[in-house]
Amino acid sequence: MSFFRSVTALSKLRSRLAQQSSTLGSVRWIQIQSASDLDLRSQLQELIPEQQERLKKLKSEHGKVQLGNITVDMVIGGMRGMTGLLWETSLLDPDEGIRFRGLSIPECQKVLPAASGGEEPLPEGLLWLLLTGKVPNKEQASALSKELQSRSTVPDCVYKAIDALPLNAHPMTQFTTGVMALQVQSEFQKAYESGISKAKYWEPTYEDSLNLIARLPVVASYVYRRIYKNGQVVPADNSLDYGANFSHMLGFDDPKMLELMRLYVTIHSDHEGGNVSAHTAHLVASALSDPYLSFAAALNGLAGPLHGLANQEVLLWIKSVVKECGENISTEQLKDYVWKTLNRGKVVPGFGHGVLRKTDPRYMCQREFAKKHLPDDSLFQLVSKLYEVVPPILTELGKVKNPWPNVDAHSGVLLNHFGLTEARYYTVLFGVSRSIGICSQLVWDRALGLPLERPKSVTMEWLEKYCKKSA
């Protein structure tokens, strides 16, 4: 049996899982790992038949069970609240926030392996958890880290594709171009063209997914150094873990920044399947497009101002507050500035969420990190004031279901503190992180044989006629 980092944490986790096993089906197969089981792929090979049978039974016994009613509001309102997608790796509760295979963010911080001398969870550990539903031990996380390093070589054609773009192209444009260029080495495409059996689709998907996850920090750091550091590339340090090495290649080696990057990648990795980037990847992959094509599509969704680009907008807005009002802004001045923003027909970036109805746990763990490592940072103090000021104003406005801060409200301030000040680049960090959740689910999409996604669409005329008949 493997060991969690503390017996207390283990006993608490077992107790909680026992209490919630009836409500969180995926939790029932979270297990403790054997120290000898270091091969992630072999772990999956053992799990897949069981989960295939589970899905088959679910479909045969409960396929006709209704999950709710579809309203006109849902059809014309972005399908909000409509249950229509299977996503195994995480589940978002409006009140509790995200759970990765049944584990909350604070629980992941307690039980997932950390770097030697560190406290924040290793992204490699979360990747293992998302793929297998099992909490890895340090040996397994370390083995996966080494495997990702062995897969991280990026072909020259990728750099050439990026270099063909002007330097002023948005970092996400350059990043997505690099991902598309990586596609020339897709194992799934080769296997499909060779006539691989459907039952084995998951195998080249797994290979592509791990290769993609491994190479993204290299591509992302190249984009950063090309745009902002005169193209002076920092070589990888294979003695470092995934998050720390990413920070190092960007040019940041402060131990606290390494810890921040581990935390950042972990908490941004997955947020169930209905958000734009995750759903896009699932949709495109359902056509049997390989993980590179699917993830590139996801990145294009992530680049939108209403999705991943929001973390860029938050820092820019906060700096605009400082520019206009100064760093020592009073609470009343801040209230006035917030109202001025809203009265201009704009939003306060970083507040509200499509599903959550309480403060985002991802915001809270970043806040705790800041309180520990940068309590006197002026922008952090401003973010803290916003946490007090904005929710009551949005509540008074009466148009917002969730007035509380989300993950984007805090991440930029942390990155800015350690020197990563280029806000236009922040969505690239988000993209690297999101690959862990998306690619994990893509492996299971193919392992479970999930079909082509094809919902029904209707016209306004159809809706009008249907509603008249139903009246």
Side-chain angles (χ1 to χ4, degrees), residues 1 15 34 87 110 155 188 294 300 320 327 348 366 377 403 438:
M1 304 292 283
S15 174
S34 166
W87 192 270
K110 290 178 182 177
F188 183 87
S294 304
N300 287 325
S320 74
E327 289 186 349
V348 179
Q366 291 181 99
D377 182 275
I438 286 176

Side-chain angles (χ1 to χ4, degrees), residues 312-327 329 334 337 340-341 344 346-347 349 379 382:
Q312 166 186 314
E313 300 301 317
V314 169
L315 186 63
L316 294 176
W317 185 81
I318 289 174
K319 288 187 174 182
S320 74
V321 175
V322 173
K323 184 178 180 180
E324 185 168 327
C325 305
E327 289 186 349
I329 184 172
L334 189 56
Y337 193 89
K340 189 191 326 186
T341 299
R344 288 173 179 168
K346 298 180 179 180
V347 300
L379 291 185
L382 178 54

Side-chain angles (χ1 to χ4, degrees), residues 249-412:
M249 288 188 289
L250 289 170
F252 303 96
D253 290 308
D254 184 325
K256 293 178 183 178
M257 179 61 169
L258 304 190
E259 276 284 87
L260 174 60
M261 193 60 73
R262 293 172 186 128
L263 176 64
Y264 183 100
V265 173
T266 297
I267 66 174
H268 285 81
S269 63
D270 204 24
H271 217 229
E272 77 170 27
N275 63 76
V276 170
S277 55
H279 188 195
T280 298
H282 173 81
L283 171 63
V284 174
S286 76
L288 297 185
S289 298
D290 62 61
Y292 297 97
L293 298 174
S294 304
F295 186 67
L299 288 177
N300 287 325
L302 192 69
L306 296 183
H307 191 19
L309 204 67
N311 58 6
Q312 166 186 314
E313 300 301 317
V314 169
L315 186 63
L316 294 176
W317 185 81
I318 289 174
K319 288 187 174 182
S320 74
V321 175
V322 173
K323 184 178 180 180
E324 185 168 327
C325 305
E327 289 186 349
N328 298 317
I329 184 172
S330 68
T331 300
E332 289 305 313
Q333 285 177 307
L334 189 56
K335 287 181 181 178
D336 290 341
Y337 193 89
V338 171
W339 274 115
K340 189 191 326 186
T341 299
L342 295 171
N343 290 333
R344 288 173 179 168
K346 298 180 179 180
V347 300
V348 179
F351 286 80
H353 192 273
V355 177
L356 285 168
R357 295 296 173 259
K358 290 188 177 180
T359 301
D360 193 334
R362 299 172 299 173
Y363 172 93
M364 292 306 299
C365 70
Q366 291 181 99
R367 178 171 172 78
E368 291 303 313
F369 185 96
K371 288 165 68 176
K372 180 177 181 180
H373 296 294
L374 47 135
D376 299 324
D377 182 275
S378 60
L379 291 185
F380 167 57
Q381 292 176 349
L382 178 54
V383 166
S384 296
K385 285 183 181 178
L386 287 168
Y387 188 29
E388 298 174 5
V389 166
V390 174
I393 291 177
L394 294 181
T395 301
E396 181 182 341
L397 197 64
K399 297 180 180 180
V400 180
K401 292 182 179 179
N402 172 24
W404 304 105
N406 58 49
V407 65
D408 298 315
H410 218 307
S411 56

Side-chain angles (χ1 to χ4, degrees), residues 227-266:
I227 299 173
Y228 303 110
K229 304 298 177 181
N230 299 315
Q232 298 175 347
V233 176
V234 178
D237 181 349
N238 289 336
S239 69
L240 297 173
D241 56 83
Y242 186 87
N245 200 20
F246 184 22
S247 179
H248 166 73
M249 288 188 289
L250 289 170
F252 303 96
D253 290 308
D254 184 325
K256 293 178 183 178
M257 179 61 169
L258 304 190
E259 276 284 87
L260 174 60
M261 193 60 73
R262 293 172 186 128
L263 176 64
Y264 183 100
V265 173
T266 297

Side-chain angles (χ1 to χ4, degrees), residues 129-279:
L129 172 65
L130 295 184
L131 276 169
T132 68
K134 301 176 182 180
V135 177
N137 56 41
K138 288 185 178 181
E139 291 80 8
Q140 289 165 326
S142 178
L144 181 53
S145 184
K146 289 182 174 62
E147 181 176 356
L148 291 174
Q149 289 168 5
S150 72
R151 293 171 176 265
S152 64
T153 302
V154 173
D156 287 340
C157 66
V158 174
Y159 302 120
K160 291 178 181 178
I162 295 171
D163 288 343
L165 296 170
L167 278 175
N168 63 357
H170 194 280
M172 282 297 284
T173 302
Q174 300 191 39
F175 186 43
T176 307
T177 298
V179 172
M180 287 297 295
L182 283 171
Q183 194 274 341
V184 299
Q185 294 189 340
S186 171
E187 296 296 330
F188 183 87
Q189 183 185 43
K190 295 174 189 174
Y192 187 82
E193 291 175 351
S194 299
I196 187 174
S197 165
K198 288 183 180 181
K200 293 186 176 182
Y201 279 174
W202 76 268
E203 296 179 8
T205 300
Y206 173 86
E207 294 301 320
D208 277 355
S209 294
L210 259 65
N211 286 341
L212 178 58
I213 291 170
R215 294 166 189 174
L216 286 177
V218 181
V219 176
S221 59
Y222 182 81
V223 169
Y224 178 78
R225 303 295 299 185
R226 177 178 187 256
I227 299 173
Y228 303 110
K229 304 298 177 181
N230 299 315
Q232 298 175 347
V233 176
V234 178
D237 181 349
N238 289 336
S239 69
L240 297 173
D241 56 83
Y242 186 87
N245 200 20
F246 184 22
S247 179
H248 166 73
M249 288 188 289
L250 289 170
F252 303 96
D253 290 308
D254 184 325
K256 293 178 183 178
M257 179 61 169
L258 304 190
E259 276 284 87
L260 174 60
M261 193 60 73
R262 293 172 186 128
L263 176 64
Y264 183 100
V265 173
T266 297
I267 66 174
H268 285 81
S269 63
D270 204 24
H271 217 229
E272 77 170 27
N275 63 76
V276 170
S277 55
H279 188 195

